[in-house]
Amino acid sequence: MKLKPLLGWSVGLLVLLYVLWQQDYAALARSLRAAGPALLLVLLLEPLLWLSQAGAWRWLFAVGQRARFGDTLYASASASAVNNLLPVFAIGGDLLKARHLVKRGVSGATATAAGIVDLSLHAVAALCWSLTGLAILGFTTSDAGLLLASASGSVVLSAIIIGFITIQLLASARLARWLQQRFSQRGWNVLATDTSAAQQRLLQIWRQPQVLLGSVLLRLLGRALMVPEIMFIAWLLDADIGIADAAMITGLVVLVKTVSFAIPARVGVQEGAFVAAGSLLAIPSELMFSIAIAIRLRETLASLPLLLHWYIQEWRPTR
C-alpha cells in the first residue's frame, strides 16, 4: 500500500478506536435492538441521494453533450460506491464516473471538465451546509472556543475551494495537462487527450452562473435528506432529535467529511463527527454512534452491489 493511503487509514482507524473506547456497549446494544430490522429502511434514501448527485453532475453538461440519464445515474452511483468502500481518496470515484461516460460516447474533454467543476461544487454545497450548522450552533451555545473551532473548519474548507477554483480559472491549461498525465499513467488517456478542448470547456462552465447555481441547489437538496434521516433513525432508537438539531448535526458532519477527503471512506472521522456533534447538543454518545452506524450501514449495503457490478464490467474483461 502506498504511503498516503496508509497514513489516511491510520488516522481514520485511530479516530474510530478512540470513539469505540468511549462507548457504553450495553447501552449501544440496547439502542440498536430497539430499532430492529426497521433500521434497514434507511436504505430507501440512497437512491434519492444518487438522483441528486447525478442530476447535479449532468446539469453541467451542455444539452447536446449529455449522456443518457440512466448512464449518468449509474456512473454517479458507482462513483459513490467506490468512494464509500474502496481505499481511495474521495476523488477516486469521480475519475471513474467520467471514464464511464466517455465509454458511452461523451467526449473526454467534456467529461473531464464537468467532473472537475462538479467536484468543486460538491465542496461549495458542503460549505453551505456547514455554515448552516455553524449558524444554528451559534444560537445554541455561548462557548466561544467551540464556535471558533467550528468556524475554523469552515475557513479551511473555504480556502480549499477558493484555491481549487482559482487554479481552474487561472491555470486551467496546466491543470488539464496534469490530468492528462495522471490519466495516461493509468491507461485512461481517453479522458483528456485534447487538453485545449478540456480547458475551453472548463472555462465555459464557469461562465454560466445559472448552470453553477442549479447544480449547487441539486447538491443541497441531496444533503438536506440527511436531516429527516437523522430524525427518523433517532425515532427508531426511541429518542427525539428536532429538525434544528438534525440540521446542525448534518452541517457539522458534512464539514468534517469534506475536509477529511484524504481519509479513505472517511473511516472513523464520520463516526467521530456524529459523536462530536451530538456532544454539542448534550445528546448521548451511544445514540449518536448508533445513528452513525445506521448511516454507515446504508452506505455499505447500497454500495456493495454497485461495486460488484462495476468490478465485473470494468476489470474482469480486461484481465
Side-chain angles (χ1 to χ4, degrees), residues 167-178:
I167 291 173
Q168 295 174 52
L169 296 178
L170 301 182
S172 55
R174 183 176 298 180
L175 176 63
R177 287 193 296 270
W178 179 82

Side-chain angles (χ1 to χ4, degrees), residues 127 131 134 137 145-158 252 255:
L127 178 62
L131 292 176
L134 183 61
L137 180 62
L146 182 59
L147 287 172
L148 179 61
S150 301
S152 298
S154 297
V155 171
V156 170
L157 180 55
S158 300
L252 296 183
L255 171 63

Side-chain angles (χ1 to χ4, degrees), residues 221-238:
L221 181 61
R223 291 292 186 184
L225 294 174
M226 279 188 66
V227 175
E229 179 186 32
I230 291 172
M231 297 171 65
F232 175 69
I233 296 172
W235 176 73
L236 289 178
L237 298 173
D238 293 328

Side-chain angles (χ1 to χ4, degrees), residues 91-150:
I91 62 172
D94 293 271
L95 300 179
L96 290 172
K97 76 179 184 182
R99 181 171 179 261
H100 179 81
L101 287 197
V102 170
K103 295 173 67 176
R104 295 299 183 272
V106 177
S107 75
T110 298
T112 302
I116 294 172
V117 177
D118 183 60
L119 189 62
S120 305
L121 298 184
H122 166 76
V124 170
L127 178 62
C128 292
W129 262 113
S130 69
L131 292 176
T132 301
L134 183 61
I136 297 174
L137 180 62
F139 285 107
T140 57
T141 182
S142 58
D143 189 334
L146 182 59
L147 287 172
L148 179 61
S150 301

Side-chain angles (χ1 to χ4, degrees), residues 161-222:
I161 293 171
I162 292 172
F164 189 41
I165 293 177
T166 300
I167 291 173
Q168 295 174 52
L169 296 178
L170 301 182
S172 55
R174 183 176 298 180
L175 176 63
R177 287 193 296 270
W178 179 82
L179 287 172
Q180 182 188 46
Q181 181 183 8
R182 299 289 291 180
F183 294 151
S184 298
Q185 290 173 356
R186 292 166 171 79
W188 300 348
N189 52 332
V190 67
L191 276 176
T193 52
D194 189 349
T195 55
S196 61
Q199 175 193 13
Q200 182 180 9
R201 180 56 190 155
L202 182 69
L203 295 176
Q204 285 175 349
I205 297 175
W206 282 114
R207 294 190 188 106
Q208 298 176 288
Q210 72 281 5
V211 170
L212 301 174
L213 179 60
S215 182
V216 170
L217 289 176
L218 286 170
R219 284 278 185 183
L220 289 173
L221 181 61

